[in-house]
Amino acid sequence: MAKILIVEDNALNIKLFCDLLAAHGHQPEAVTDSRNALDAARAFDPDLVITDIQLPHVSGLELIRLIRKDEELAKVPIMAVTAYSAHGDEERIRAAGAQAYVSKPISVIKFAQTVDDLLKDSEAPAEPATPGDEPDIDTVESRTNQSDEGPGPAEAGGEES
């Protein structure tokens, strides 16, 4: 069972993420105010952080940077989730320190698989990094499963507040 911190300001998305993670045997903890997220992460000691990018007060990008600079949290994997996916967003999010990027509406299957991949990667013994190496997590499908008709049966969480 992994401890997963969720930083999200939308109540429906919090419920979706928490229910999905709990159904997969994880222990989710939600933070709705990004100003409290760093302290909550230190207290909760998560195995993974999932953060929205469009947050009031402290943006998800800034939160990712703060986590990466924190001695206690620097090695915790981060998954960014956002409904605003413009050209260059994934690059900015990864450059800030996130290992994975998933756009809303999420594919429930892809969300769960990305969580599992990040947790497996964080448990694997550290290998020497080669310049240009990137995590072996493909999130292209999560960006392409959006349709003009809204979320389908395996997609959810498309609303931002």
PDB file of all heavy atoms in Angstrom, residues 38-61:
ATOM      1  N   LEU A  38       3.059  21.667   0.949  1.00  0.00           N
ATOM      2  CA  LEU A  38       4.420  21.280   1.314  1.00  0.00           C
ATOM      3  C   LEU A  38       4.465  20.756   2.752  1.00  0.00           C
ATOM      4  O   LEU A  38       5.062  19.709   3.016  1.00  0.00           O
ATOM      5  CB  LEU A  38       5.380  22.451   1.119  1.00  0.00           C
ATOM      6  CG  LEU A  38       6.853  22.100   1.029  1.00  0.00           C
ATOM      7  CD1 LEU A  38       7.135  21.145  -0.118  1.00  0.00           C
ATOM      8  CD2 LEU A  38       7.686  23.371   0.869  1.00  0.00           C
ATOM      9  N   ASP A  39       3.814  21.453   3.677  1.00  0.00           N
ATOM     10  CA  ASP A  39       3.778  20.989   5.065  1.00  0.00           C
ATOM     11  C   ASP A  39       3.027  19.662   5.171  1.00  0.00           C
ATOM     12  O   ASP A  39       3.443  18.769   5.917  1.00  0.00           O
ATOM     13  CB  ASP A  39       3.114  22.032   5.965  1.00  0.00           C
ATOM     14  CG  ASP A  39       3.995  23.255   6.194  1.00  0.00           C
ATOM     15  OD1 ASP A  39       5.232  23.149   6.030  1.00  0.00           O
ATOM     16  OD2 ASP A  39       3.443  24.324   6.530  1.00  0.00           O
ATOM     17  N   ALA A  40       1.941  19.533   4.420  1.00  0.00           N
ATOM     18  CA  ALA A  40       1.180  18.281   4.433  1.00  0.00           C
ATOM     19  C   ALA A  40       2.029  17.132   3.905  1.00  0.00           C
ATOM     20  O   ALA A  40       1.994  16.021   4.436  1.00  0.00           O
ATOM     21  CB  ALA A  40      -0.098  18.423   3.610  1.00  0.00           C
ATOM     22  N   ALA A  41       2.806  17.398   2.870  1.00  0.00           N
ATOM     23  CA  ALA A  41       3.669  16.355   2.302  1.00  0.00           C
ATOM     24  C   ALA A  41       4.730  15.932   3.310  1.00  0.00           C
ATOM     25  O   ALA A  41       5.003  14.741   3.457  1.00  0.00           O
ATOM     26  CB  ALA A  41       4.320  16.851   1.009  1.00  0.00           C
ATOM     27  N   ARG A  42       5.322  16.885   4.005  1.00  0.00           N
ATOM     28  CA  ARG A  42       6.329  16.536   5.023  1.00  0.00           C
ATOM     29  C   ARG A  42       5.711  15.682   6.130  1.00  0.00           C
ATOM     30  O   ARG A  42       6.316  14.724   6.587  1.00  0.00           O
ATOM     31  CB  ARG A  42       6.928  17.803   5.615  1.00  0.00           C
ATOM     32  CG  ARG A  42       7.867  18.522   4.677  1.00  0.00           C
ATOM     33  CD  ARG A  42       8.487  19.726   5.373  1.00  0.00           C
ATOM     34  NE  ARG A  42       9.175  20.574   4.446  1.00  0.00           N
ATOM     35  CZ  ARG A  42       8.940  21.877   4.292  1.00  0.00           C
ATOM     36  NH1 ARG A  42       8.019  22.475   5.025  1.00  0.00           N
ATOM     37  NH2 ARG A  42       9.634  22.570   3.412  1.00  0.00           N
ATOM     38  N   ALA A  43       4.502  16.030   6.556  1.00  0.00           N
ATOM     39  CA  ALA A  43       3.833  15.291   7.630  1.00  0.00           C
ATOM     40  C   ALA A  43       3.368  13.912   7.180  1.00  0.00           C
ATOM     41  O   ALA A  43       3.438  12.944   7.934  1.00  0.00           O
ATOM     42  CB  ALA A  43       2.639  16.098   8.155  1.00  0.00           C
ATOM     43  N   PHE A  44       2.901  13.792   5.943  1.00  0.00           N
ATOM     44  CA  PHE A  44       2.328  12.548   5.424  1.00  0.00           C
ATOM     45  C   PHE A  44       3.396  11.589   4.909  1.00  0.00           C
ATOM     46  O   PHE A  44       3.201  10.385   4.896  1.00  0.00           O
ATOM     47  CB  PHE A  44       1.326  12.897   4.310  1.00  0.00           C
ATOM     48  CG  PHE A  44       0.539  11.737   3.776  1.00  0.00           C
ATOM     49  CD1 PHE A  44      -0.274  10.966   4.597  1.00  0.00           C
ATOM     50  CD2 PHE A  44       0.573  11.435   2.427  1.00  0.00           C
ATOM     51  CE1 PHE A  44      -1.020   9.907   4.086  1.00  0.00           C
ATOM     52  CE2 PHE A  44      -0.166  10.386   1.897  1.00  0.00           C
ATOM     53  CZ  PHE A  44      -0.965   9.624   2.737  1.00  0.00           C
ATOM     54  N   ASP A  45       4.541  12.107   4.493  1.00  0.00           N
ATOM     55  CA  ASP A  45       5.644  11.304   3.954  1.00  0.00           C
ATOM     56  C   ASP A  45       5.162  10.395   2.820  1.00  0.00           C
ATOM     57  O   ASP A  45       5.225   9.167   2.911  1.00  0.00           O
ATOM     58  CB  ASP A  45       6.295  10.487   5.078  1.00  0.00           C
ATOM     59  CG  ASP A  45       7.588   9.815   4.628  1.00  0.00           C
ATOM     60  OD1 ASP A  45       8.253  10.343   3.716  1.00  0.00           O
ATOM     61  OD2 ASP A  45       7.916   8.744   5.192  1.00  0.00           O
ATOM     62  N   PRO A  46       4.689  11.001   1.714  1.00  0.00           N
ATOM     63  CA  PRO A  46       4.081  10.204   0.639  1.00  0.00           C
ATOM     64  C   PRO A  46       5.103   9.433  -0.191  1.00  0.00           C
ATOM     65  O   PRO A  46       6.277   9.791  -0.272  1.00  0.00           O
ATOM     66  CB  PRO A  46       3.402  11.274  -0.221  1.00  0.00           C
ATOM     67  CG  PRO A  46       4.268  12.478  -0.040  1.00  0.00           C
ATOM     68  CD  PRO A  46       4.729  12.423   1.390  1.00  0.00           C
ATOM     69  N   ASP A  47       4.596   8.373  -0.812  1.00  0.00           N
ATOM     70  CA  ASP A  47       5.380   7.608  -1.789  1.00  0.00           C
ATOM     71  C   ASP A  47       5.226   8.206  -3.184  1.00  0.00           C
ATOM     72  O   ASP A  47       6.011   7.899  -4.087  1.00  0.00           O
ATOM     73  CB  ASP A  47       4.907   6.147  -1.810  1.00  0.00           C
ATOM     74  CG  ASP A  47       5.075   5.490  -0.453  1.00  0.00           C
ATOM     75  OD1 ASP A  47       6.204   5.476   0.062  1.00  0.00           O
ATOM     76  OD2 ASP A  47       4.062   5.012   0.104  1.00  0.00           O
ATOM     77  N   LEU A  48       4.196   9.047  -3.366  1.00  0.00           N
ATOM     78  CA  LEU A  48       3.901   9.681  -4.644  1.00  0.00           C
ATOM     79  C   LEU A  48       3.084  10.935  -4.366  1.00  0.00           C
ATOM     80  O   LEU A  48       2.249  10.945  -3.461  1.00  0.00           O
ATOM     81  CB  LEU A  48       3.092   8.724  -5.534  1.00  0.00           C
ATOM     82  CG  LEU A  48       2.531   9.266  -6.845  1.00  0.00           C
ATOM     83  CD1 LEU A  48       3.646   9.646  -7.819  1.00  0.00           C
ATOM     84  CD2 LEU A  48       1.596   8.244  -7.492  1.00  0.00           C
ATOM     85  N   VAL A  49       3.326  11.982  -5.156  1.00  0.00           N
ATOM     86  CA  VAL A  49       2.506  13.196  -5.102  1.00  0.00           C
ATOM     87  C   VAL A  49       1.826  13.351  -6.453  1.00  0.00           C
ATOM     88  O   VAL A  49       2.477  13.263  -7.499  1.00  0.00           O
ATOM     89  CB  VAL A  49       3.352  14.455  -4.796  1.00  0.00           C
ATOM     90  CG1 VAL A  49       2.512  15.718  -4.918  1.00  0.00           C
ATOM     91  CG2 VAL A  49       3.985  14.361  -3.409  1.00  0.00           C
ATOM     92  N   ILE A  50       0.521  13.564  -6.417  1.00  0.00           N
ATOM     93  CA  ILE A  50      -0.254  13.875  -7.616  1.00  0.00           C
ATOM     94  C   ILE A  50      -0.758  15.298  -7.434  1.00  0.00           C
ATOM     95  O   ILE A  50      -1.421  15.589  -6.442  1.00  0.00           O
ATOM     96  CB  ILE A  50      -1.438  12.905  -7.802  1.00  0.00           C
ATOM     97  CG1 ILE A  50      -0.935  11.473  -7.970  1.00  0.00           C
ATOM     98  CG2 ILE A  50      -2.305  13.337  -8.982  1.00  0.00           C
ATOM     99  CD1 ILE A  50      -2.030  10.424  -7.997  1.00  0.00           C
ATOM    100  N   THR A  51      -0.405  16.185  -8.357  1.00  0.00           N
ATOM    101  CA  THR A  51      -0.828  17.574  -8.217  1.00  0.00           C
ATOM    102  C   THR A  51      -1.458  18.114  -9.484  1.00  0.00           C
ATOM    103  O   THR A  51      -1.017  17.810 -10.592  1.00  0.00           O
ATOM    104  CB  THR A  51       0.348  18.485  -7.793  1.00  0.00           C
ATOM    105  OG1 THR A  51      -0.141  19.813  -7.572  1.00  0.00           O
ATOM    106  CG2 THR A  51       1.465  18.521  -8.813  1.00  0.00           C
ATOM    107  N   ASP A  52      -2.491  18.895  -9.278  1.00  0.00           N
ATOM    108  CA  ASP A  52      -3.060  19.685 -10.361  1.00  0.00           C
ATOM    109  C   ASP A  52      -2.042  20.784 -10.676  1.00  0.00           C
ATOM    110  O   ASP A  52      -1.204  21.121  -9.840  1.00  0.00           O
ATOM    111  CB  ASP A  52      -4.391  20.281  -9.894  1.00  0.00           C
ATOM    112  CG  ASP A  52      -5.165  20.983 -10.986  1.00  0.00           C
ATOM    113  OD1 ASP A  52      -4.813  20.840 -12.172  1.00  0.00           O
ATOM    114  OD2 ASP A  52      -6.140  21.681 -10.653  1.00  0.00           O
ATOM    115  N   ILE A  53      -2.097  21.334 -11.853  1.00  0.00           N
ATOM    116  CA  ILE A  53      -1.193  22.429 -12.212  1.00  0.00           C
ATOM    117  C   ILE A  53      -1.870  23.775 -11.993  1.00  0.00           C
ATOM    118  O   ILE A  53      -1.271  24.705 -11.473  1.00  0.00           O
ATOM    119  CB  ILE A  53      -0.714  22.286 -13.676  1.00  0.00           C
ATOM    120  CG1 ILE A  53       0.156  21.037 -13.816  1.00  0.00           C
ATOM    121  CG2 ILE A  53       0.058  23.525 -14.131  1.00  0.00           C
ATOM    122  CD1 ILE A  53       1.401  21.012 -12.944  1.00  0.00           C
ATOM    123  N   GLN A  54      -3.135  23.873 -12.354  1.00  0.00           N
ATOM    124  CA  GLN A  54      -3.872  25.133 -12.207  1.00  0.00           C
ATOM    125  C   GLN A  54      -4.483  25.202 -10.813  1.00  0.00           C
ATOM    126  O   GLN A  54      -5.634  24.852 -10.611  1.00  0.00           O
ATOM    127  CB  GLN A  54      -4.969  25.224 -13.276  1.00  0.00           C
ATOM    128  CG  GLN A  54      -4.452  25.231 -14.682  1.00  0.00           C
ATOM    129  CD  GLN A  54      -3.651  26.481 -15.000  1.00  0.00           C
ATOM    130  OE1 GLN A  54      -3.940  27.559 -14.502  1.00  0.00           O
ATOM    131  NE2 GLN A  54      -2.625  26.348 -15.823  1.00  0.00           N
ATOM    132  N   LEU A  55      -3.686  25.664  -9.859  1.00  0.00           N
ATOM    133  CA  LEU A  55      -4.135  25.797  -8.481  1.00  0.00           C
ATOM    134  C   LEU A  55      -4.088  27.268  -8.074  1.00  0.00           C
ATOM    135  O   LEU A  55      -3.199  27.996  -8.507  1.00  0.00           O
ATOM    136  CB  LEU A  55      -3.210  25.010  -7.542  1.00  0.00           C
ATOM    137  CG  LEU A  55      -3.198  23.496  -7.694  1.00  0.00           C
ATOM    138  CD1 LEU A  55      -2.011  22.900  -6.953  1.00  0.00           C
ATOM    139  CD2 LEU A  55      -4.504  22.910  -7.172  1.00  0.00           C
ATOM    140  N   PRO A  56      -5.024  27.699  -7.229  1.00  0.00           N
ATOM    141  CA  PRO A  56      -4.925  29.062  -6.712  1.00  0.00           C
ATOM    142  C   PRO A  56      -3.783  29.155  -5.691  1.00  0.00           C
ATOM    143  O   PRO A  56      -3.352  28.144  -5.144  1.00  0.00           O
ATOM    144  CB  PRO A  56      -6.280  29.287  -6.035  1.00  0.00           C
ATOM    145  CG  PRO A  56      -6.802  27.931  -5.739  1.00  0.00           C
ATOM    146  CD  PRO A  56      -6.212  26.998  -6.749  1.00  0.00           C
ATOM    147  N   HIS A  57      -3.294  30.329  -5.469  1.00  0.00           N
ATOM    148  CA  HIS A  57      -2.262  30.626  -4.465  1.00  0.00           C
ATOM    149  C   HIS A  57      -0.878  30.165  -4.893  1.00  0.00           C
ATOM    150  O   HIS A  57      -0.059  30.977  -5.271  1.00  0.00           O
ATOM    151  CB  HIS A  57      -2.631  30.075  -3.081  1.00  0.00           C
ATOM    152  CG  HIS A  57      -4.023  30.386  -2.652  1.00  0.00           C
ATOM    153  ND1 HIS A  57      -4.473  31.678  -2.474  1.00  0.00           N
ATOM    154  CD2 HIS A  57      -5.090  29.590  -2.407  1.00  0.00           C
ATOM    155  CE1 HIS A  57      -5.754  31.657  -2.116  1.00  0.00           C
ATOM    156  NE2 HIS A  57      -6.156  30.405  -2.073  1.00  0.00           N
ATOM    157  N   VAL A  58      -0.598  28.868  -4.808  1.00  0.00           N
ATOM    158  CA  VAL A  58       0.695  28.319  -5.233  1.00  0.00           C
ATOM    159  C   VAL A  58       0.392  27.400  -6.410  1.00  0.00           C
ATOM    160  O   VAL A  58      -0.330  26.416  -6.257  1.00  0.00           O
ATOM    161  CB  VAL A  58       1.375  27.517  -4.092  1.00  0.00           C
ATOM    162  CG1 VAL A  58       2.683  26.911  -4.573  1.00  0.00           C
ATOM    163  CG2 VAL A  58       1.601  28.400  -2.865  1.00  0.00           C
ATOM    164  N   SER A  59       0.935  27.722  -7.584  1.00  0.00           N
ATOM    165  CA  SER A  59       0.640  26.906  -8.765  1.00  0.00           C
ATOM    166  C   SER A  59       1.255  25.521  -8.614  1.00  0.00           C
ATOM    167  O   SER A  59       2.197  25.317  -7.839  1.00  0.00           O
ATOM    168  CB  SER A  59       1.186  27.570 -10.031  1.00  0.00           C
ATOM    169  OG  SER A  59       2.588  27.417 -10.100  1.00  0.00           O
ATOM    170  N   GLY A  60       0.741  24.588  -9.382  1.00  0.00           N
ATOM    171  CA  GLY A  60       1.307  23.242  -9.370  1.00  0.00           C
ATOM    172  C   GLY A  60       2.761  23.226  -9.798  1.00  0.00           C
ATOM    173  O   GLY A  60       3.571  22.477  -9.253  1.00  0.00           O
ATOM    174  N   LEU A  61       3.121  24.067 -10.775  1.00  0.00           N
ATOM    175  CA  LEU A  61       4.524  24.142 -11.212  1.00  0.00           C
ATOM    176  C   LEU A  61       5.423  24.609 -10.067  1.00  0.00           C
ATOM    177  O   LEU A  61       6.499  24.045  -9.844  1.00  0.00           O
ATOM    178  CB  LEU A  61       4.676  25.094 -12.400  1.00  0.00           C
ATOM    179  CG  LEU A  61       4.260  24.553 -13.754  1.00  0.00           C
ATOM    180  CD1 LEU A  61       4.350  25.643 -14.814  1.00  0.00           C
ATOM    181  CD2 LEU A  61       5.094  23.357 -14.151  1.00  0.00           C
TER     182      LEU A  61
END
